[in-house]
Every structure is written in C-alpha cells, then in structure tokens.
Amino acid sequence: NMKKIIILQINDTHAYLELHPELFWERGQAVYRKAGGFARMAAIIKQIRVENPDQVLLLDGGDTFHGTYPAVKTKGDALVEIMNVLHPAAMTAHWEFAYTPQGFKQLTTRLNYPMLAMNVYKKVDNTLFFKPYQVIEIGGLRIGVAGIASNIVDKTMPPQFSEGLYFTNGVEELPKVVKQLRGEEKADLVVLLSHLGFPQDMQLIQQVS
C-alpha cells in the first residue's frame, strides 16, 4: 500500500505580488516574459490540493516578505494575509531578517504556520531563536520538516539584520535533528527546508545521512 505525497516548494518570491517581467534563458538567449504573481501561484497550488486531497506538503524557502515596495514599506505585513491563505506547512528565511530579528519574530507570530531554523542562535544564552523542526501529519504519514535559514545574515548583511544573533551552516545540528525526528518523533520521512543555497545544500545532504 504505497502512500503518495506531493512536495511543493516556493522560495525567493521576493514579494512580487503581481504578474511581472522576468528573465528566462532560452537557447542561450535572454528572454523577458511576464511571470509569477501570488494569484497565479495560489491557483496552481489550489488545483494541486484539490486533485490530491491530504497529500500536499507546501513549503516556503524564504525571501518572501521582502523585495517590493509594499513589502518593505509595511515591514512584511503586506504579505501576511496572502501567505496565510496559501498556508504552507512551514517556512525558513533569509531577507526577512532585514526587519531586524525582533521585527521578523513578531511577524512570524501572525502566520498560521511555523518559521523553522536549527541554525540561528541568541548570543546571550546560545539558545535557538526559532523552532528547529515541525512534524506534520499528511495522508497517514508523519513528516518531519527541518529548517535551516540562510547563514550569511550575520556575515555579509548589515549588522542590524542579525542583532543579538549568530548563524551556523547547520552541519553540526542537522544529524541531531534527523536523529530526533526519526527517533522520538517517529517521522516516516524527513524533509530539509534550507536557504543555504543549492551547492551548499547538495554538499550538506551528502555529509549527513
């Protein structure tokens, strides 16, 4: 009896609320076409959910609440209701820290899904600033979603982005989180939601079983 789940990921939407010109490479040529927008994303996600009830795991990799004027002007607030309607199972983050760690933390309290990061610590006591993982039950499966935020926030970005925090690359944390998810949390499947960057993610999952 094979159980099927569908994992959908969105990331780097950068608060582009509407259809907008986007660059595509086609046969070595730069081509601009209109793309994106949350209405189109919502329509596609809804259709997949309708066709696959209780089988869809939607995850947001971050760079969601920052990028366009409405997002920056409202410190991410313009996206809260929109993202709550899309209702991903979890998110991780990068540019969201531009609103300061406290501002971002406040924003996450208004979301109907968790922000996950096993690699963001408070300097004052070395405790985690966000939850490291979330267990989500879908289609009779227990899925452990583990989060790693971008680790460059305290290294290459303005200091107020990481005030009071330090960031690691998750290499030390991930094996422990996987062990906990497979062990006491009894997860059937472990999914890593990471904003380290594609080459870094590839390297990390080769290092960690």
Side-chain angles (χ1 to χ4, degrees), residues 7-190:
I7 300 176
L8 302 178
Q9 181 184 340
I10 58 174
N11 62 276
D12 293 271
T13 49
H14 283 287
Y16 275 85
L17 299 171
E18 296 173 51
L19 198 63
H20 58 278
E22 195 71 72
L23 185 150
F24 294 89
W25 287 99
E26 290 176 10
R27 301 185 192 86
Q29 298 288 310
V31 177
Y32 286 91
R33 286 205 309 273
K34 291 219 166 163
F38 278 83
R40 296 178 87 194
M41 272 197 300
I44 293 165
I45 292 163
K46 184 177 179 183
Q47 186 181 347
I48 296 168
R49 280 174 166 156
V50 166
E51 288 167 6
N52 306 276
D54 198 31
Q55 292 177 322
V56 177
L57 181 69
L58 173 65
L59 299 171
D60 177 23
D63 277 346
T64 304
F65 292 86
H66 188 281
T68 59
Y69 181 79
V72 176
K73 180 75 177 164
T74 64
K75 298 191 166 138
D77 186 72
L79 275 294
V80 169
E81 282 184 54
I82 294 169
M83 288 307 297
N84 280 342
V85 170
L86 287 190
H87 206 304
M91 75 171 288
T92 196
H94 175 207
W95 268 92
E96 284 75 9
F97 287 96
Y99 305 124
T100 73
Q102 292 308 327
F104 178 29
K105 186 91 178 243
Q106 189 57 43
L107 188 74
T108 65
T109 64
R110 299 179 38 233
L111 300 174
N112 57 17
Y113 54 93
M115 160 63 204
L116 306 177
M118 68 182 77
N119 65 320
V120 181
Y121 295 89
K122 295 183 227 166
K123 282 179 184 168
V124 59
D125 60 3
N126 300 315
T127 58
L128 286 175
F129 192 60
F130 290 111
K131 285 170 55 168
Y133 67 79
Q134 177 84 352
V135 176
I136 292 139
E137 300 207 11
I138 291 181
L141 291 171
R142 283 176 66 78
I143 300 168
V145 178
I148 298 182
S150 171
N151 69 328
I152 65 167
V153 177
D154 61 341
K155 297 162 189 76
T156 65
M157 302 180 91
Q160 68 269 24
F161 287 24
S162 58
E163 204 174 331
L165 302 180
Y166 67 93
F167 292 65
T168 70
N169 61 8
V171 175
E172 311 262 306
E173 293 87 348
L174 187 56
K176 296 172 196 159
V177 170
V178 171
K179 192 177 173 190
Q180 195 167 359
L181 284 168
R182 293 204 184 285
E184 60 191 89
E185 297 286 3
K186 297 182 171 55
D188 299 299
L189 180 69
V190 175

